[in-house]
């Protein structure tokens, strides 16, 4: 076959060659679709091939008599399609609805359910990143598909995932899992990631219902308080975080365990103030009359950080595994240090004058106080040097 010949680049500016409109946002919206840069024949062939792949996978997922092997093949076909601008959005919506149904089908087994949960989480995240407007920014031209997204918001429910998760954990704790206990733990881990994604699809007015469903289990005399606390943080919508910081409920949950009894429990609650700081930053109003956390709470937080991260302010070393067992790691994650970093970075107020003392009770002043507490250390190995 004859080689494909690309048209020569016209002389002039890049803006002229790309045909940039008066509104740069429209051009950026066009550049969001990489497949549009292909020649016409290849572009049309790629669209047809992707649509056929998704249609075939959807047919297999909808088949009530599909074997486990056929479902696994359909999930692999779904995973291969990741260009959300090229494939029809309606097909993705139908696939997500079918994956949501399969996640609740216990008869297909733990292994396939984990695969369905992973595929569902990835597709939801991809659609959200592509079609949901970024907080604080004007929507792109292609982000006007609210009708399709509303179908997903009506279908998905955090209550269903919470019921599935708690049911599996209770079954394994009673010693009667449907399969080996490790499979149940892996399913709980997958569901935990799905809960964290569903909070972006949960309406803000449902935040109180999320809290009421889990607050009753927050018993400090039980080790499960860590699990339910983390589950609450993952399920709460981002936009509702400020309410729980302002009314003081965050500090009530934070004080359920004594400071230092469980460092992960102490640090994981920083997720709510971190989200509040991020929303403020994204809204274009980094300066605020009141800080995200009161000054005394901020000082207490930095004290917990110094002790937990083995900073050289004293000789203590915290056991991160205390009060955590087996399946709870699915909720706690590998580290909570990133939550602290996220809160600190988004809380740093812009400095209007360089070389001047930091404003009183600001995040800059708190960090300066923490740095002054650090002891000199000539050893270039050790945990605290990596954390710093």
């Amino acid at each position: 076959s004859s080689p494909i010949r690309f048209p020569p680049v016209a002389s002039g500016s890049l803006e002229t060659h790309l045909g940039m409109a008066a509104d740069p946002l429209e051009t950026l919206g066009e550049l969001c679709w990489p497949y549009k840069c292909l020649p016409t024949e290849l572009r049309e062939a790629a669209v047809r091939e992707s649509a056929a792949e998704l249609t075939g996978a959807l047919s297999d997922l909808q088949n009530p008599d599909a074997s486990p092997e056929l479902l696994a093949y359909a999930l692999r076909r779904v995973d291969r399609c990741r260009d959300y601008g090229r494939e029809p959005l309606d097909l993705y919506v139908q696939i997500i609805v079918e994956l949501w149904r399969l996640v609740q089908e216990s008869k297909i087994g733990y292994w396939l359910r984990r695969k369905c949960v992973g595929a569902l989480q990835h597709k939801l995240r991809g659609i959200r990143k592509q079609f949901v407007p970024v907080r604080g920014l004007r929507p792109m031209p292609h982000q006007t598909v609210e009708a399709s997204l509303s179908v997903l918001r009506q279908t998905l429910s955090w209550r269903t995932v919470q019921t599935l998760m708690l049911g599996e954990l209770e079954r394994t704790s009673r010693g009667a899992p449907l399969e080996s206990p490790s499979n149940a733990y892996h399913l709980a881990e997958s569901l935990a990631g799905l809960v964290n994604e569903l909070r972006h699809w949960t309406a803000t007015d449902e935040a109180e219902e999320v809290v009421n469903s889990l607050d009753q289990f927050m018993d400090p005399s039980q080790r499960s308080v860590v699990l339910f606390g983390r589950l609450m943080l993952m399920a709460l919508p981002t936009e509702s975080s400020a309410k729980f910081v302002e009314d003081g409920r965050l500090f009530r949950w934070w004080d359920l365990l004594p400071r230092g009894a469980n460092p992960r429990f102490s640090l994981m609650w920083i997720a709510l103030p971190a989200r509040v700081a991020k929303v403020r930053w994204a809204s274009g109003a980094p300066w605020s009359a009141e800080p995200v956390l009161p000054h005394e709470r901020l000082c207490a937080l930095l004290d917990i950080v110094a002790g937990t991260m083995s900073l050289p302010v004293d000789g203590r070393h915290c056991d991160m595994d205390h009060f955590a067992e087996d399946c709870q790691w699915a909720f706690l994650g590998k580290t909570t240090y990133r939550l602290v970093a996220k809160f600190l970075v988004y809380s740093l107020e812009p400095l209007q004058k360089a070389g001047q003392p930091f404003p009183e009770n600001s995040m800059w002043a708190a960090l300066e106080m923490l740095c002054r507490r650090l002891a000199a250390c000539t050893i270039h190995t050790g945990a605290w040097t990596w954390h710093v």
Side-chain angles (χ1 to χ4, degrees), residues 29 72 75 91 129 154 160 202 220 225 262 265 273 322 338 357 363:
L75 291 175
L91 276 178
K129 292 292 186 181
Q154 295 173 5
T160 303
T202 302
V225 65
N262 181 280
F265 181 87
H322 188 57
R338 64 177 183 84
M363 179 59 73

Side-chain angles (χ1 to χ4, degrees), residues 96 100 120 124 151-158 160 198 201:
I96 288 176
W100 179 254
L120 178 60
L124 286 175
V151 174
L152 295 180
R153 292 192 174 94
Q154 295 173 5
T155 303
L156 304 172
S157 173
W158 60 269
T160 303
L198 285 181
W201 300 86

Side-chain angles (χ1 to χ4, degrees), residues 182-250:
S182 61
N183 287 338
Y185 291 154
H186 293 160
L187 178 61
E189 183 178 0
S190 301
L191 289 173
L194 182 58
V195 170
N196 198 41
E197 174 61 32
L198 285 181
R199 69 182 175 88
H200 299 286
W201 300 86
T202 302
T204 304
D205 54 6
E206 295 188 44
E208 287 291 346
E209 189 174 350
V210 173
V211 170
N212 294 334
S213 66
L214 294 172
D215 196 18
Q216 55 183 323
F217 301 113
M218 300 287 286
D219 184 0
S221 64
Q222 303 293 326
R223 290 192 173 188
S224 59
V225 65
V226 182
L227 184 150
F228 289 112
R230 182 58 179 157
L231 182 58
M232 182 188 297
L233 287 173
M234 290 191 298
L236 281 176
T238 299
E239 303 296 341
S240 64
S241 302
K243 175 173 61 176
F244 300 103
V245 177
E246 294 170 357
D247 64 14
R249 274 182 284 183
L250 167 65

Side-chain angles (χ1 to χ4, degrees), residues 81-101:
C81 299
R82 301 184 179 183
D83 194 337
Y84 301 95
R86 183 176 60 192
E87 293 92 6
L89 178 60
D90 292 338
L91 276 178
Y92 274 117
V93 172
Q94 297 179 58
I95 287 176
I96 288 176
V97 172
E98 290 302 317
L99 290 174
W100 179 254
R101 179 185 61 83

Side-chain angles (χ1 to χ4, degrees), residues 35 38 42-58 77-89 91-92 95 123:
Y35 79 98
L38 296 173
L42 292 180
R43 181 171 67 248
E44 294 177 353
V47 172
R48 290 194 301 268
E49 181 180 355
S50 299
E53 186 82 356
L54 284 178
T55 303
L58 176 61
R77 297 175 72 179
V78 170
D79 184 65
R80 286 198 295 263
C81 299
R82 301 184 179 183
D83 194 337
Y84 301 95
R86 183 176 60 192
E87 293 92 6
L89 178 60
L91 276 178
Y92 274 117
I95 287 176
K123 294 308 171 187

Side-chain angles (χ1 to χ4, degrees), residues 362-373:
S362 65
M363 179 59 73
W364 291 103
L367 283 179
E368 181 185 26
M369 178 183 64
L370 176 61
C371 293
R372 291 181 181 277
R373 294 180 58 194

Side-chain angles (χ1 to χ4, degrees), residues 292-351:
V292 176
L293 287 180
H295 182 66
E296 60 275 8
R297 286 286 178 176
L298 181 59
C299 295
L301 170 64
L302 294 182
D303 184 63
I304 295 173
V305 170
T308 304
M309 301 178 70
S310 302
L311 299 181
V313 295
D314 50 39
R316 295 177 298 174
H317 178 71
C318 292
D319 182 10
M320 297 295 290
D321 298 344
H322 188 57
F323 269 179
E325 53 185 29
D326 299 331
C327 59
Q328 294 189 13
W329 292 112
F331 305 89
L332 296 179
K334 296 181 179 179
T335 177
T336 51
Y337 300 153
R338 64 177 183 84
L339 300 177
V340 178
K342 182 178 178 180
F343 170 67
L344 296 179
V345 170
Y346 283 120
S347 298
L348 290 174
E349 308 90 343
L351 296 177

